[in-house]
Amino acid sequence: MTQHRQVEEQALTWFVRLSDVEASEADWRAFGDWIAVSPAHRTAYDALEQVWVDLDDALAAEPVAPAVVPMTTVTPLRRAANDDVRVTRRRAWLFPVVGIAAAAALTAGLWPQFMDRPLTYQTQDAPQTITLEDGSTVKLNRHSSLQVRFNDGRRQVALKDGEAAFDVAHDAGRPFTVEADGREVRVIGTAFNIVSHNDDFVIGVERGVVSVQPKSASAPVRLTAGQRLHQVGGDAVELGAVDADSVSSWSSGVLVYRDASIADISRDLSRYFDKPFTVAASARGLRFTGALRIADETTMLAQLRDFSPVTVERTPTEVRLSARVPG
Amino acid sequence: MRPLDSDDAAIWRLPHDFRHGIKQTQFEQAVLRLATRAWASSGDEFSLPPFDPPRLTTVYLEMRDDLGRFAASRLGGRGDVEDVLQELFLKVSRTPADAEIRDPRAYLYRLTNNLLLDRWRSSRRSAARDGAWRVAMHGAEDGDDVDDAPSAEAVVAGRQRLQTLMTALEQLPEKTRTIFRLHKFDGLSYAEVAEKQGISRSSVEKHMMDALRILAARMRK
């Protein structure tokens, strides 16, 4: 075996070992030592990583048509293989799913008459987690409205207003679609977050692949993990990156921002408190990195004032943000 | 949650760009103090998992130098290690306290590795070399990105590359392909794949190596 081939085999061994959740700290350290030895090691390893990443893109480029989705029975909510946290958390929440399934079986006799009537969920001042009959979950944010209509061949939901984080159970035989103000999002098995309020539409993907049909666009747009699409009304869509881990951070009680504009933040808060926010010209250029804990209006505005250089003026009908004058 | 230490608050209030001028650990410790204080207060209708003690954050601070060295080796001088560490810290600080992490030290290495991979992936995307992605976007955009759009040849080459890869994947021996897909696309761990296929964990590793060896060889051509 040539030396070159030897290095390739070593890289292969490392890559495969580290790809599994069971890789230990000692493995990682030894790998760190190995890769620091020579640029040839790094190059060999990077080549494998390149293939790994290309495979994601190749999967994303496959048509969304159910036929080409790898059929491995009905896979309940799979998480990324190489993420210890998620794998362990998955087990924890299989229980509620089983519970709901059992309850559904008991009431199965009642199902047909409701089959074609959509179920509507509406939240007021508190978010709500909904477990759908297929095991998918939807975390519905405050002041949001969701309609669900499932039948044998299709899983259709419509986000009428507000924000929702979806974790969709993989079922290649029954496509899952989300409609939001005339736009359609097609899903295989994935997790993503949608905001649809007034003219604003934002979708961020945490895991998997979705296909979005924006307004007045000729073709659907495919998004994979870490990508975000924003559209105001029927304007040109704006594509960007989003931290896959914070796509639906709101559902754990925190709003996480990285280098966000005050306008972005005020849009979120306006939705939370169902109240218009005005951003003064002086504050439009300000950026914010950090986390806001979700709480009542007074507390959240206090956090914003503490953590960013703005002043806040509140009236019963409006909130106005402007840049703080130094001193 | 108030009063804040004036230093902490001052650090938070700095415009984002100025933060790079601050000694990183100082920023991190300020965030940690703030987060612990602000988030530990409970009694709100929407209760947050308690943030104390943020074990992962503590482990991160202990391992910061090791992780920095690891990132430097991986990057081989091609990126800003401090920037990676800061992004890593943001991820660590927002990991829910109730997340079950079996081995936080191994987990932090993995997180660093994934973060480097994500960065590389997105820089590749913004470098507009990813043919399939650009094609997907094409229909939805007006002409304003024509200047940095890849040439038609580059798009075709990118698409061909993905096609070659998918073909190579389909041509793998059936068992190897099934095992590879279960891990890579369905996210099963080796132990789960082994159980499902009724084989040993080391056989799973062997199939994974076979598959990647063939795919990598095909892509080198």
Side-chain angles (χ1 to χ4, degrees):
Chain A
M1 199 185 276
T2 66
Q3 200 184 346
H4 187 61
R5 286 280 299 132
Q6 266 176 20
V7 170
E8 278 172 5
E9 276 299 303
Q10 287 168 357
L12 207 50
T13 309
W14 278 122
F15 194 95
V16 167
R17 184 179 303 169
L18 298 177
S19 179
D20 191 46
V21 288
E22 283 177 36
S24 68
E25 185 195 358
D27 289 334
W28 284 103
R29 281 188 184 278
F31 166 65
D33 293 342
W34 176 81
I35 206 155
V37 168
S38 97
H41 289 188
R42 207 181 58 235
T43 310
Y45 194 84
D46 285 353
L48 296 173
E49 220 161 45
Q50 167 93 50
V51 171
W52 199 253
V53 170
D54 282 347
L55 281 164
D56 294 331
D57 294 341
L59 182 72
E62 279 184 339
V64 188
V68 293
V69 174
M71 292 280 287
T72 54
T73 66
V74 178
T75 315
L77 295 157
R78 279 292 163 204
R79 302 289 195 174
N82 44 9
D83 189 330
D84 314 26
V85 174
R86 295 185 176 168
V87 170
T88 50
R89 297 185 88 204
R90 182 188 70 230
R91 301 190 200 293
W93 79 267
L94 279 176
F95 296 103
V97 175
V98 170
I100 299 274
L106 284 176
T107 55
L110 298 173
W111 262 113
Q113 64 204 81
F114 293 115
M115 213 58 159
D116 277 304
R117 201 184 307 162
L119 285 167
T120 302
Y121 298 87
Q122 168 77 50
T123 50
Q124 301 300 334
D125 291 336
Q128 188 190 350
T129 299
I130 304 158
T131 304
L132 303 176
E133 79 171 70
D134 64 339
S136 300
T137 55
V138 184
K139 289 176 179 160
L140 195 59
N141 209 341
R142 300 152 191 234
H143 305 295
S144 300
S145 164
L146 186 82
Q147 231 173 48
V148 179
R149 188 196 296 263
F150 277 19
N151 59 36
D152 289 344
R154 297 200 62 175
R155 296 176 287 171
Q156 288 172 283
V157 304
L159 181 61
K160 294 297 184 192
D161 183 32
E163 177 168 27
F166 295 85
D167 199 332
V168 175
H170 179 103
D171 183 351
R174 275 210 300 175
F176 192 107
T177 57
V178 184
E179 191 265 337
D181 192 21
R183 303 173 188 88
E184 193 186 68
V185 178
R186 284 176 64 86
V187 181
I188 302 177
T190 184
F192 58 98
N193 189 73
I194 299 183
V195 177
S196 177
H197 184 60
N198 298 338
D199 260 0
D200 247 329
F201 174 82
V202 184
I203 174 165
V205 181
E206 184 181 326
R207 166 166 64 74
V209 184
V210 301
S211 168
V212 186
Q213 177 63 60
K215 280 190 180 172
S216 58
S218 56
V221 179
R222 193 176 302 268
L223 299 176
T224 58
Q227 293 182 331
R228 172 185 195 270
L229 181 152
H230 182 193
Q231 185 178 37
V232 180
D235 295 354
V237 301
E238 194 186 296
L239 291 159
V242 63
D243 187 343
D245 289 345
S246 61
V247 162
S248 58
S249 64
W250 65 265
S251 64
S252 51
V254 192
L255 297 179
V256 177
Y257 297 102
R258 185 169 171 80
D259 199 23
S261 73
I262 296 295
D264 284 341
I265 297 168
S266 66
R267 205 158 41 224
D268 285 345
L269 295 181
S270 160
R271 205 155 37 74
Y272 270 87
F273 304 124
D274 207 10
K275 201 181 226 193
F277 272 55
T278 316
V279 181
S282 63
R284 285 194 193 129
L286 298 174
R287 314 294 292 180
F288 174 74
T289 295
L292 298 177
R293 188 171 51 96
I294 296 170
D296 58 51
E297 185 180 324
T298 313
T299 314
M300 286 197 80
L301 290 176
Q303 290 179 65
L304 188 64
R305 203 179 45 220
D306 279 345
F307 294 166
S308 71
V310 295
T311 52
V312 178
E313 292 164 65
R314 280 170 73 193
T315 72
T317 54
E318 195 203 50
V319 176
R320 188 178 163 79
L321 303 175
S322 41
R324 185 159 39 218
V325 184
Chain B
M1 52 181 279
R2 277 177 294 158
L4 303 165
D5 286 347
S6 55
D7 281 351
D8 294 348
I11 286 171
W12 263 115
R13 284 185 189 127
L14 283 173
H16 179 69
D17 290 341
F18 291 174
R19 292 226 179 103
H20 290 288
I22 303 173
K23 197 164 164 257
Q24 295 300 321
T25 46
Q26 195 187 340
F27 169 67
E28 289 163 4
Q29 281 161 8
V31 175
L32 182 55
R33 278 197 297 273
L34 279 170
T36 313
R37 194 172 317 155
W39 296 357
S41 67
S42 52
D44 286 295
E45 35 134 344
F46 200 111
S47 75
L48 192 73
F51 202 77
D52 58 308
R55 178 157 171 247
L56 195 62
T57 312
T58 314
V59 176
Y60 165 83
L61 291 171
E62 281 166 20
M63 291 180 68
R64 193 174 182 283
D65 292 346
D66 290 341
L67 296 171
R69 267 193 300 280
F70 177 75
S73 307
R74 289 289 281 113
L75 288 166
R78 288 171 300 183
D80 180 351
V81 172
E82 278 299 324
D83 201 41
V84 171
L85 286 172
Q86 177 155 350
E87 194 175 334
L88 186 63
F89 177 75
L90 280 172
K91 275 188 190 294
V92 166
S93 64
R94 69 170 82 111
T95 301
D98 63 350
E100 279 176 51
I101 300 171
R102 278 172 288 188
D103 180 349
R105 300 178 71 89
Y107 173 75
L108 286 176
Y109 272 111
R110 182 178 302 288
L111 201 60
T112 312
N113 203 53
N114 288 351
L115 192 145
L116 291 169
L117 192 62
D118 288 346
R119 286 179 150 230
W120 179 51
R121 207 189 299 242
S122 56
S123 71
R124 245 168 38 113
R125 273 201 180 112
S126 57
R129 281 196 277 120
D130 186 336
W133 165 238
R134 301 297 296 193
V135 169
M137 278 173 54
H138 197 72
E141 279 205 338
D142 45 20
D144 60 8
D145 75 332
V146 167
D147 287 344
D148 62 359
S151 67
E153 296 82 47
V155 171
V156 171
R159 213 182 310 166
Q160 270 172 358
R161 197 180 147 78
L162 298 187
Q163 189 57 52
T164 308
L165 192 57
M166 286 318 274
T167 309
L169 183 64
E170 291 314 314
Q171 286 170 352
L172 291 174
E174 193 186 337
K175 188 159 192 183
T176 304
R177 185 179 66 228
T178 306
I179 289 166
F180 187 81
R181 292 203 97 147
L182 283 173
H183 174 68
K184 169 68 180 159
F185 296 141
D186 291 355
L188 269 63
S189 72
Y190 292 172
E192 288 169 323
V193 176
E195 195 189 327
K196 204 178 168 83
Q197 296 289 304
I199 57 176
S200 69
R201 195 179 169 286
S202 64
S203 303
V204 174
E205 281 199 28
K206 192 186 141 296
H207 282 287
M208 285 299 298
M209 281 185 67
D210 289 347
L212 260 179
R213 189 184 294 111
I214 293 169
L215 298 179
R218 187 67 62 87
M219 298 316 283
R220 269 198 299 274
K221 276 176 190 158

